[in-house]
Amino acid sequence: MKADYIRIYKSVHTWTGLISGMALFIAFYAGALTVFKEPIVRWVSPPSQARLVPLADAQTLIQQALASRPDAAKSFVIHVRDDESVAQRMEWQIRDPQADDHDESATRRYGATLDAAGQAQFQELNPSILGEFIDVLHRVVGLPVDSDPNRWIMGVIAVLYTLALVSGVVVLLPSLVKDFFALRVGKNLKRMWLDAHNVVGIVSLPFHLVMALTAVVFAYHDQIYGLQDRLIHNGQWASAFQRPAAQSGAAPSRDPAHMLSPPALLDTAQAAAPGLRPTALEYQNVTGPRAVVRVWGKDPTAVAPRALGGFIALDPYSGKPLNTDYLPGRQDTPNLLISSFFALHMASFGGSAVQWMYFLLGMAGAWLFYTGNLLWIETRRRKQTRQNPLPPAQRLDTLLMAHATVGICLGCVCGISLTIVGGKWLHGIVQDMRNCHMLLYYAAFFGCIAWAFCRSPGRAAVHLLWAAALLTLCIPATTLLAWLIPSLGLWGHTSAATLGVDLTAFAGALCFSWMARATARRLARGPADSVWAGKDSSTY
Amino acid sequence: MSDAHAKPVRHKTPPIRRDWLAKTLAGTVLGATLALGVSGLYSHLHAGLALPTRGQLAMWMVPPIWLGALSGVYFFSSGLRAWLWLGAGNALVYGALLALPQTG
């Protein structure tokens, strides 16, 4: 009876894992990098051409800019930080109202600065979309656009992932005490891989459960809200988020010159929220009766409601706090609970220690799905016998799975490294960097898959691991070249965050080259009766 | 087992029927309706919370309940039992929802 349950859940685990495994590899590899989206964007951003207007003069900038661009009064941002990714002190966006909520390509960004005469100058901004591109790969398991149908595909993968997690635990539970921390390295390869797969799976289980369930929510929240609105909320849901309408007899238009200056607003916010480290001021409807400024910031000691941190909303004219529902550390219990779901997915709590932990857990997750496929292949291996001393032909399905696993997983790794490097080399040469990043990634991705299917899986793995190592090494090499040969027109930032990107990429390249050498050794000395040993002239 | 000792013949528990399609459908469909029903009960019982907060919490509880039901459904000994038990759970939850005094 008990054994029968385990057999059933083993089938569930095998099939859900097999279908979702490679998509999850992409989601986790790209997701681990998305934890450090900001440093990656800073790494790739060119040095700012224009001098940033000092924060102390930002009030003049706002007045000058709004005088000639009144449409920006609806919503604009004053950056408080001065890092590499900030092109202009003042920035606003105009969105195509037809576009999907999650479609960033429908947004045009503008920046404002002051010239020597104190007049506002405007410029359309093209901030790097590299971070966004990697994030989208993460959110929709390697598809190019974060659209509704793609999110539903991701949702199906996330449901299968949840089933794979639960079924994996059910299968492992009866022997957990015996198998836990037992890593039996030896002749029995399958045993060793299974032990390693189990240890990583069980140790990071809470992380994976959180990721699976939140991913399902991110995929289907619109549909769930829609159903609940009809079933539970009597159609009141949409209106619950609207603020009460302004009194009729519209208030006279207000003059932004009477607003408190950005430094004064920051002082006010700091007094109300001492732990908050402000990053930006987001102004809304400053000429209207319901003007508000959100002081965005991060607080490493508290749970952040959003990936960007949290905010306190102030009245920009009086400085009076309007809303602290999204202020890290000041939320009431129900709102804190909701924020914690986001924070647990996006690592937006606990500062950089937690970010590194999530980075490593994400990489371990990618590895977990890779080993799942290896186990599936190893289980179906045809072995040499005494009667049949020649290595038997391996099953076609395991051979195809080996080709696909190597090509898709390493294709994603190569593609991301190439598109990061390309962001610097092709800047200024290519106009449309959005398509350029996409083209570079998918060229490498599909190129790797093609290569993996043209070679034996083992050989392809060695080649593609070397390719991944080289492409990843190009990231710090580009920075080094920019310093050594300034005439190239490249740039290398020296802030700790961007040097961190270079160092992490260097460590990654070392890891890939180590794996390439280990795989080559396995090819040379490993058993001949395995999909990994086959010569290039495959058996089918 | 050895035949030497004439033990009274025990009824062997019948093997668990696989019923992949029936069980998966039961978990997917009835699990989802169950989760929506439970979130409705939660919302009714916490009417004191502001709607934006209550609604978000009600939404967040749907996937864990739905997928909890879906991933547990293969423990049922047959597809029919899965449909009956989950159906009974649904009837209970929606019965409670109807029995609760309508507010708002």
Side-chain angles (χ1 to χ4, degrees):
Chain A
M1 190 76 173
K2 207 166 100 180
D4 212 16
Y5 283 132
I6 291 175
R7 265 195 296 279
I8 288 174
Y9 273 90
K10 203 166 177 181
S11 299
V12 175
H13 187 69
T14 301
W15 291 106
T16 52
L18 208 59
I19 297 169
S20 63
M22 287 178 280
L24 289 173
F25 180 96
I26 298 175
F28 273 69
Y29 186 77
L33 296 180
T34 301
V35 173
F36 294 115
K37 187 177 179 175
E38 279 182 26
I40 290 174
V41 172
R42 287 171 63 178
W43 182 88
V44 82
S45 295
S48 180
Q49 307 290 321
R51 190 186 57 98
L52 282 188
V53 175
L55 203 55
D57 299 337
Q59 180 68 8
T60 322
L61 175 63
I62 294 173
Q63 288 171 44
Q64 291 284 338
L66 292 184
S68 33
R69 297 287 175 98
D71 55 336
K74 198 162 163 269
S75 173
F76 63 89
V77 168
I78 295 289
H79 291 291
V80 175
R81 65 210 159 88
D82 289 339
D83 70 37
E84 297 89 341
S85 61
V86 176
Q88 299 280 20
R89 177 69 63 198
M90 179 175 173
E91 204 185 304
W92 68 94
Q93 310 178 349
I94 311 276
R95 278 189 66 80
D96 177 359
Q98 305 289 316
D100 186 280
D101 280 355
H102 299 252
D103 183 7
E104 284 288 311
S105 66
T107 306
R108 310 192 65 164
R109 294 160 205 273
Y110 300 91
T113 187
L114 291 174
D115 63 12
Q119 295 299 307
Q121 299 291 318
F122 303 101
Q123 183 193 9
E124 179 160 5
L125 302 176
N126 287 304
S128 173
I129 64 121
L130 174 63
E132 191 61 30
F133 177 70
I134 298 175
D135 195 354
V136 167
L137 287 179
H138 157 66
R139 291 199 298 248
V140 291
V141 295
L143 299 166
V145 193
D146 187 355
S147 62
D148 275 340
N150 287 357
R151 261 197 313 285
W152 297 333
I153 294 175
M154 178 277 274
V156 172
I157 298 286
V159 167
L160 292 173
Y161 170 35
T162 314
L163 280 176
L165 285 176
V166 176
S167 55
V169 172
V170 171
V171 172
L172 182 61
L173 263 184
S175 59
L176 181 63
V177 179
K178 183 159 63 75
D179 286 347
F180 194 48
F181 284 136
L183 181 59
R184 281 154 284 195
V185 182
K187 272 251 155 46
N188 188 342
L189 277 179
K190 192 193 156 196
R191 186 76 249 173
M192 186 195 77
W193 280 108
L194 183 60
D195 285 343
H197 183 82
N198 286 343
V199 162
V200 172
I202 285 291
V203 168
S204 47
L205 183 66
F207 169 79
H208 282 288
L209 281 174
V210 164
M211 289 301 158
L213 292 173
T214 48
V216 173
V217 168
F218 296 155
Y220 297 126
H221 59 121
D222 285 342
Q223 287 72 34
I224 299 174
Y225 277 136
L227 285 169
Q228 287 181 326
D229 193 21
R230 274 186 243 163
L231 181 75
I232 307 169
H233 307 311
N234 301 321
Q236 302 292 303
W237 180 243
S239 57
F241 284 87
Q242 285 164 4
R243 288 192 289 170
Q247 302 95 329
S248 51
S253 163
R254 293 158 92 179
D255 182 359
H258 298 145
M259 289 194 301
L260 294 175
S261 72
L265 286 170
L266 287 175
D267 287 344
T268 315
Q270 211 69 96
L276 196 72
R277 296 184 196 158
T279 53
L281 300 167
E282 182 191 2
Y283 290 79
Q284 289 175 338
N285 304 314
V286 287
T287 52
R290 285 187 296 173
V292 63
V293 57
R294 291 172 169 185
V295 182
W296 282 89
K298 297 193 168 175
D299 183 350
T301 63
V303 170
R306 294 292 178 267
L308 286 174
F311 64 82
I312 176 171
L314 303 175
D315 181 330
Y317 290 91
S318 66
K320 193 174 71 111
L322 297 176
N323 185 339
T324 57
D325 280 354
Y326 293 89
L327 183 59
R330 295 295 183 81
Q331 295 186 290
D332 60 14
T333 310
N335 278 309
L336 176 64
L337 188 62
I338 295 164
S339 291
S340 70
F341 300 141
F342 288 91
L344 280 169
H345 187 106
M346 299 171 181
S348 50
F349 65 102
S352 57
V354 167
Q355 288 187 314
W356 277 106
M357 190 178 86
Y358 267 62
F359 179 79
L360 295 175
L361 282 168
M363 289 294 174
W367 180 87
L368 188 69
F369 310 130
Y370 194 84
T371 56
N373 282 9
L374 293 190
L375 281 166
W376 186 85
I377 293 166
E378 190 65 28
T379 308
R380 283 150 190 81
R381 174 170 160 189
R382 286 181 184 147
K383 294 208 177 80
Q384 271 168 299
T385 56
R386 222 175 274 263
Q387 290 79 23
N388 235 353
L390 283 178
Q394 296 297 326
R395 286 168 47 159
L396 181 61
D397 55 353
T398 61
L399 208 50
L400 290 177
M401 195 61 186
H403 285 299
T405 303
V406 167
I408 291 176
C409 296
L410 295 177
C412 166
V413 173
C414 289
I416 289 182
S417 290
L418 178 65
T419 204
I420 292 177
V421 174
K424 263 192 189 176
W425 285 91
L426 297 177
H427 172 81
I429 299 172
V430 178
Q431 277 300 305
D432 186 355
M433 281 309 284
R434 175 175 297 276
N435 280 328
C436 177
H437 278 300
M438 214 179 269
L439 198 74
L440 285 175
Y441 172 79
Y442 284 106
F445 181 66
F446 288 114
C448 289
I449 294 174
W451 189 271
F453 274 94
C454 292
R455 298 282 179 283
S456 83
R459 266 165 215 257
V462 175
H463 301 158
L464 296 181
L465 279 166
W466 278 119
L470 274 179
L471 289 170
T472 310
L473 188 66
C474 284
I475 296 172
T478 301
T479 307
L480 209 59
L481 270 179
W483 288 333
L484 294 178
I485 317 174
S487 60
L488 279 174
L490 293 170
W491 62 91
H493 298 300
T494 50
S495 63
T498 62
L499 288 179
V501 173
D502 289 314
L503 287 175
T504 308
F506 184 68
L510 286 182
C511 284
F512 293 134
S513 67
W514 170 73
M515 287 188 236
R517 266 178 284 138
T519 312
R521 210 163 43 237
R522 162 76 171 74
L523 264 185
R525 300 186 205 152
D529 52 345
S530 155
V531 288
W532 305 108
K535 294 197 177 60
D536 284 351
S537 50
S538 296
T539 39
Y540 56 91
Chain B
M1 285 284 131
S2 88
D3 295 282
H5 306 281
K7 278 186 180 166
V9 182
R10 265 199 317 163
H11 265 292
K12 228 179 118 187
T13 36
I16 304 155
R17 294 174 59 98
R18 296 309 192 248
D19 294 345
W20 291 114
L21 189 66
K23 285 185 187 176
T24 307
L25 274 178
T28 310
V29 177
L30 294 184
T33 51
L34 183 74
L36 280 172
V38 172
S39 76
L41 275 183
Y42 167 83
S43 191
H44 262 288
L45 296 174
H46 294 80
L49 273 176
L51 179 54
T53 314
R54 171 162 45 102
Q56 287 188 73
L57 286 172
M59 187 276 292
W60 276 97
M61 68 175 54
V62 169
I65 299 171
W66 173 37
L67 297 177
L70 176 58
S71 46
V73 84
Y74 304 100
F75 279 117
F76 287 112
S77 55
S78 71
L80 181 67
R81 278 172 169 266
W83 276 91
L84 287 176
W85 277 106
L86 282 176
N90 269 285
L92 206 68
V93 168
Y94 282 91
L97 258 184
L98 287 177
L100 278 174
Q102 289 295 315
T103 49

